Every structure is written in C-alpha cells, then in structure tokens.
Amino acid sequence: MPKKILLVEDEKHIARFVELELQHEGYEVKAAFDGREGLAMATAENFDVLLLDVMLPGINGIEICRRIRSQSQVPIILLTARDAVMDRVAGLDAGADDYIVKPFAIEELLARIRTILRRVTPAAANSESLCFRDIEIDVAAYEVFVQGNKLDLTKTEYDLLKLLIEHKNRVCTREHILTSVWGYDTDIETNVVDVYIRHLRTKLPGDMNAYIETVRGVGYVMRE
C-alpha cells in the first residue's frame, strides 16, 4: 500500500510540481493551499508524512505543527524560506521532525521523506522492551514509561532516547546521534541534537542531568 503524504503549500505551482514528483515516486498525495484547510485534512485523515509550508495564509505551518502534535505523532517536515537558526529551532520546538529550506532540490526532499519513513516503520513486529533504571521502552508499542507513567514523546525524542539507552554507558557523539536519529543523508546541524536533548531532559523527572549526562565537547551518555 503506498504511503500517504499531505502537502500544505500555498504556492500552487510549487505544490503541483512537488505533488507530481511524489506521485512519480509512488506516494499517494493530497494537497491543501491554506493553513485551515491543511489542518482540517490532517486531523480528518491518516497520513504517513505531513509536508507543511511555514508561511501559510490562515494558520501558519508552525502553529499547524503545534496543534497536530497535541493529538498525533505523525512525522512532519517543514518547508521554509527562512534559514535563520531561531526559525528552524521554533519549528523543531513546535514538534517538527525535520525541515528543508526553499529553494530545495526535489531529490533532497525525497531523501528526507525516505529517512523519516525508515525511522517510523514499526521496529517491530518484535515485542522487545528496553530498560534503563526506571525507564522502560516498549519497542513494539512505541511507548515509553518512567516510574510506571507513560511519557509523551515525539518520534524524534523517542528515537533519541532509545538510541541512548541502547548505547547506555557508552558516550554517543553528536555526530553519531545525528546520523542515527536523523539519517546519514541529513545536513541538519549538530546543535539540533542539543535542542532535543533539552526537550528530553524537561520531560524526564528529577534533576536535568539525572538520566542524561553531558560529556563536554563530545556528546551524551546515559550511565547505569
């Protein structure tokens, strides 16, 4: 069954071009041309990936992302003409999994989509669980529990936590985290790793370094 993608882009010639390219790659694509229509479609149907332009009439892409994240963990890629660090961080803070700066090569967008779909493909049909202190990850259910309470994580936060636990007692460099969580073909900067570590720390109970230790100039580690 083809993967379903929702494209929300107000520039219709760009939307049509991207839609045709995605369809050529075998994806099922639906398009919306303003924020309100896009949000309505995203909440009414199940999609495998959302592509959201940031500058949209009605509701902007970052606000759509924030609202979607309150009820769904569907992968979201932001399409933005803004390359400033704070704009990128704002999108990631709103819950986006990735972003791509306009103008972009269609090959790059396709690579980003493939990377995200690889990450969210059920790890399993296996019922494996991972444990670290009082954290338990149910891999099959894609759920995390801390002290018996379910933790509300985005897919990127989940993948990051899972990676650190899989490598417990070993320091993961920022570069290793970036390629393992975001994919080998990403050009996202390593400071994005720090942003997501901060997100995780705010969601885990206790002192900010209680679970994840910073190794200055290198990366992060979770030690038993």
Side-chain angles (χ1 to χ4, degrees), residues 92-224:
L92 295 170
D93 280 343
D97 296 275
D98 199 356
Y99 64 88
I100 186 168
V101 178
K102 296 178 180 179
F104 52 81
I106 193 65
E107 292 80 7
E108 181 182 5
L109 177 60
L110 292 171
R112 299 290 182 93
I113 293 171
R114 288 194 297 269
T115 297
I116 276 188
L117 288 174
R118 283 199 301 269
R119 281 168 35 206
V120 302
T121 298
N126 66 55
S127 58
E128 175 190 1
S129 65
L130 297 172
C131 296
F132 174 84
R133 299 186 196 167
D134 51 6
I135 299 175
E136 181 179 356
I137 298 179
D138 185 333
V139 177
Y142 225 77
E143 292 179 334
V144 178
F145 297 87
V146 181
Q147 300 170 0
N149 299 311
K150 185 177 177 181
L151 207 60
D152 183 21
L153 300 179
T154 68
K155 281 187 169 62
T156 301
E157 291 165 352
Y158 170 92
D159 290 337
L160 176 55
L161 180 63
K162 180 171 177 284
L163 175 73
L164 291 172
I165 291 178
E166 287 174 335
H167 292 77
K168 61 187 177 185
N169 300 317
R170 288 180 286 167
V171 177
C172 291
T173 66
R174 288 176 175 81
E175 291 76 13
H176 174 65
I177 294 171
L178 201 61
T179 55
S180 298
V181 174
W182 278 267
Y184 286 94
D185 48 6
T186 186
D187 61 358
I188 293 177
E189 299 169 8
T190 54
N191 63 353
V192 169
V193 173
D194 302 324
V195 171
Y196 273 87
I197 289 290
R198 187 170 71 246
H199 289 177
L200 268 180
R201 281 174 167 162
T202 61
K203 292 184 178 183
L204 292 168
D207 177 79
M208 67 175 291
N209 293 314
Y211 293 93
I212 304 172
E213 176 186 334
T214 300
V215 181
R216 291 190 179 279
V218 182
Y220 300 94
V221 61
M222 296 180 77
R223 301 188 196 275
E224 292 279 24

